[in-house]
Amino acid sequence: MLASRRQFLMGAAALSAAVTTPETVRAMAAMQASADWALATADLEADVAPRAMRLVHGRAPAGLTGTLFRNGPGKFRRSGGSATHWFDGDGLMRAFRVNDGQVTLDARFADTPKRRWETEIDAVVTPGFGTAGDARARIGSNDDANAANTAVMTAGDEVWALWEGGAPMAMSASDLSTRRFVTLRDDLKGMPFQAHPRYDPDGTIWNIGLNGDKAVVWHLNADRSLNTARVIDLPRASYMHDFTATARHLILVLQPWVFDQRGMPYASQFAWRPELGTQVLVIDKADLSRRRIYELPTFSYFHLGDAWEDGSGTIRFDVAAGKDVAFAVAGARVLVEQRGVVPGEHAVLKLATLHTDGRAELASSGVTAEFPKSDPRRAGLPRRLTVHVAGERPDRPLPTGLATWNWDTGRSDAFTFGDTQIVEEAVFVPRGPDEADAWLIAPSINLAEGVTELHAFNAARVSDGPVATWRADIALPAGFHGIWAG
C-alpha cells in the first residue's frame, strides 16, 4: 500500500535500517533530501485491488462510461540494485473504470520474465534504456528485458502492454492479469513493436519496430491479427520513440541522435549530432518503396501528434520539440533519484509542414508542452486541436496543468493546478461531432493529499478547470501513456 509521501519515506527508512547495503544507504540519503515531486517515481510494492474513487469536485459528466487504461513504470528500487532511469521501472497497468458517475481504480504489474527474476534475487540487474544492469541479468531474447511499461492498446478482451524493444504483453482487460507475449508471426517472434501504434479510420493499425538503420513496418487488421510485416531500410540509425501517419502516409522523424557505438545502457549507443539536422521520411502506405525525405532544423523529441494532409498533398504534424537530449540522458535519472535539478529545456509544441515541392517548415506555438493527443476519430485526417500537458517550468520538472492548442486560431486554452499537482497525459473522449465537443480525461498525483486523482475537463473550456474530480485513497507513480475504451 502507498497511502502518502510520508508513509513512503517512513517505509523506506525502515527498509534501510533492516538492509544496510551501499545501495539502500544511497537510496535513503536521496529520499531524505527528496523533492516535493518525489511521489512521481515512488515505488509501488504490490498490485492494487479494485477500489472506489470518491467524487470530490463537480458533477460527473452524463453518459461518460468506459475505462481509461494507462501504463507506466511502477517500481524502480530493490535492496540489491535499482533502476537508475525513469524509463526502466517495472510496467504497471492501471484501469480507471467509469460507469454512471462512479469510478473504480485497480492496477497490476505486468508479470514479465524480467520482473520475476529481479523479484527472486531482489535486485534490478537487467539493462534498459538508461540502466546498465550487470552480469546477473538473464537475457536470451529481447523479451527477457521487456519491462512492458510504456503504453497500451486494446485487443478484444485484452489490453496489450507496449514497450520499445520487444513484443506486446497481453493482459486481461477485466482484471489486468498477465497472459502472454503476443507473437504476430512465428518468424518475427520478439521483434520490436513500439509504444505508439497509429490507427487508420477503418480501424487498422500501423506500427514500427527499430533495429539500427532498418525498421519492421507492422500493419494489423482491426481485429489485431497481422495483415503484413515488412522490413525497410532507413536513411540513418536514429533513436525513435514515436512516429506518425496520415491517411495515406507513414511519417518517420529521424532526429540527429544517431547510433554511435554498441553498449549498455541502450541510450549510451547514441550520440547527439545537431549539425546533421532532422530528417523526415515520408512513406506511401500503399507502396513502402515510394518515399520522400524532407530536411528540418535540428530538434529532439519523444512524442508526435497525429499527422494530416490537405487536398494539395501538404502534410502537417505537431511535435513536442526539444533543444537537445539532456532530459533523456540525465534528466530522467534525476527523477528516479528524487532530488536535484532536472537538466535541459522543456519541450515546446511545434508544427511541421511538408510541402509537395520538397520544402519543409517548422513553426513554434511558443507553449511548453508534452504528450500531444488529439480526437481519435480524426487520426490521420485534418484537425485543429491538440491537447497536451502544461505548466512545466525551469525549476519544476513535471507538468502541473492541461491545455489545448488550436492550430487554426493560434490560441491556447489552459488550466494549471499549481505545484500541488503532477498532471499526466490526457485522452479525448468524443461526445459530439466537433473536436471540441469532447471530454478530456486525465489522472494526476495530488501531492498535497498524497493520492491519485482522475479529472474530466470540457475540451471546449479547459481554462474553467475540471468539471469533475475523483480521488483515490492511494497514490500511484506517474504513468506514461493510456487509451480510452468505451
Side-chain angles (χ1 to χ4, degrees):
M1 178 178 178
L2 183 64
S4 68
R5 177 173 179 269
R6 180 180 180 185
Q7 287 181 332
F8 163 65
L9 296 176
M10 290 174 66
L15 174 64
S16 184
V19 187
T20 55
T21 65
E23 183 72 24
T24 54
V25 169
R26 183 185 69 80
M28 185 56 195
M31 286 185 286
Q32 285 176 335
S34 60
D36 64 341
W37 40 259
L39 271 180
T41 59
D43 288 324
L44 189 70
E45 299 299 339
D47 297 338
V48 175
R51 66 205 45 221
M53 296 183 71
R54 181 168 55 95
L55 184 67
V56 295
H57 168 76
R59 178 179 297 177
L64 180 65
T65 296
T67 302
L68 173 63
F69 293 104
R70 283 186 54 75
N71 196 3
K75 183 170 175 60
F76 305 89
R77 303 165 191 86
R78 298 185 184 273
S79 62
S82 298
T84 59
H85 196 282
W86 192 23
F87 301 170
D88 295 331
D90 292 340
L92 179 72
M93 187 67 70
R94 298 100 157 146
F96 297 86
R97 305 180 193 272
V98 184
N99 184 29
D100 194 25
Q102 306 298 310
V103 179
T104 61
L105 169 65
D106 58 300
R108 293 184 77 166
F109 284 99
D111 186 23
T112 62
K114 171 188 183 297
R115 178 171 167 81
R116 289 197 299 272
W117 173 236
E118 293 179 342
T119 298
E120 180 179 336
I121 65 174
D122 198 19
V124 177
V125 298
T126 308
F129 182 89
T131 300
D134 64 35
R136 293 172 289 174
R138 290 182 172 179
I139 301 179
S141 70
N142 288 353
D143 285 330
D144 288 333
N146 193 331
N149 69 357
T150 309
V152 56
M153 59 183 284
T154 57
D157 66 349
E158 296 179 338
V159 290
W160 291 0
L162 306 182
W163 184 64
E164 286 191 352
M169 171 66 86
M171 304 174 74
S172 166
S174 61
D175 67 6
L176 305 184
S177 57
T178 297
R179 293 182 172 176
R180 70 195 180 286
F181 281 119
V182 176
T183 299
L184 293 168
R185 201 171 80 191
D186 287 344
D187 63 323
L188 297 175
K189 183 177 181 179
M191 289 292 287
F193 184 91
Q194 288 195 279
H196 291 283
R198 296 289 169 177
Y199 298 81
D200 274 350
D202 64 1
T204 61
I205 297 170
W206 296 84
N207 203 358
I208 62 168
L210 286 183
N211 184 14
D213 61 355
K214 298 184 183 299
V216 179
V217 177
W218 301 97
H219 187 199
L220 275 59
N221 300 312
D223 66 359
R224 280 34 174 183
S225 62
L226 182 64
N227 184 312
T228 59
R230 287 186 54 189
V231 177
I232 64 170
D233 294 321
L234 301 176
R236 68 167 66 151
S238 290
Y239 173 72
M240 191 189 317
H241 173 73
D242 195 1
F243 78 108
T244 189
T246 70
R248 297 168 48 209
H249 294 96
L250 306 176
I251 299 164
L252 280 59
V253 180
L254 308 174
Q255 61 186 322
W257 197 18
V258 295
F259 179 79
D260 182 63
Q261 62 182 358
R262 298 201 177 276
M264 282 294 168
Y266 180 69
S268 69
Q269 299 183 18
F270 297 88
W272 179 243
R273 299 280 303 279
E275 70 277 9
L276 297 178
T278 296
Q279 292 182 324
V280 182
L281 176 62
V282 177
I283 304 172
D284 191 326
K285 287 179 176 177
D287 180 356
L288 300 185
S289 67
R290 296 179 59 186
R291 55 182 60 189
R292 190 168 192 173
I293 296 176
Y294 292 82
E295 303 286 342
L296 284 172
T298 290
F299 62 86
S300 65
Y301 78 99
F302 279 108
H303 300 118
L304 306 169
D306 286 317
W308 70 95
E309 53 190 298
D310 61 23
S312 71
T314 298
I315 294 172
R316 293 177 173 85
F317 64 89
D318 43 7
V319 54
K323 181 179 180 181
D324 53 34
V325 293
F327 176 81
V329 173
R333 293 180 178 275
V334 173
L335 292 185
V336 175
E337 291 172 359
Q338 300 185 316
R339 61 175 182 171
V341 177
V342 175
E345 298 180 12
H346 299 306
V348 172
L349 190 65
K350 297 186 178 182
L351 184 69
T353 302
L354 312 179
H355 299 280
T356 55
D357 63 4
R359 293 179 298 116
E361 302 161 359
L362 189 65
S364 176
S365 71
V367 300
T368 298
E370 250 298 355
F371 300 126
K373 300 282 281 189
S374 57
D375 184 341
R377 298 170 303 177
R378 289 170 168 77
L381 303 175
R383 62 179 173 86
R384 69 182 189 279
L385 292 182
T386 297
V387 61
H388 59 88
V389 295
E392 292 184 272
R393 308 189 307 266
D395 64 335
R396 193 77 185 171
L398 294 164
T400 60
L402 193 69
T404 57
W405 179 264
N406 188 315
W407 292 107
D408 286 350
T409 66
R411 293 181 178 177
S412 176
D413 182 25
F415 177 83
T416 300
F417 287 98
D419 292 351
T420 60
Q421 297 262 10
I422 294 170
V423 179
E424 303 182 46
E425 176 196 70
V427 299
F428 271 80
V429 180
R431 54 185 175 136
D434 189 75
E435 288 176 78
D437 192 8
W439 302 115
L440 305 178
I441 308 299
S444 72
I445 305 171
N446 186 322
L447 302 173
E449 299 293 335
V451 296
T452 288
E453 295 182 339
L454 185 70
H455 309 282
F457 288 80
N458 183 343
R461 302 178 65 89
V462 174
S463 56
D464 288 350
V467 299
T469 295
W470 296 267
R471 180 175 294 169
D473 60 354
I474 61 169
L476 302 183
F480 291 145
H481 300 292
I483 194 167
W484 179 264

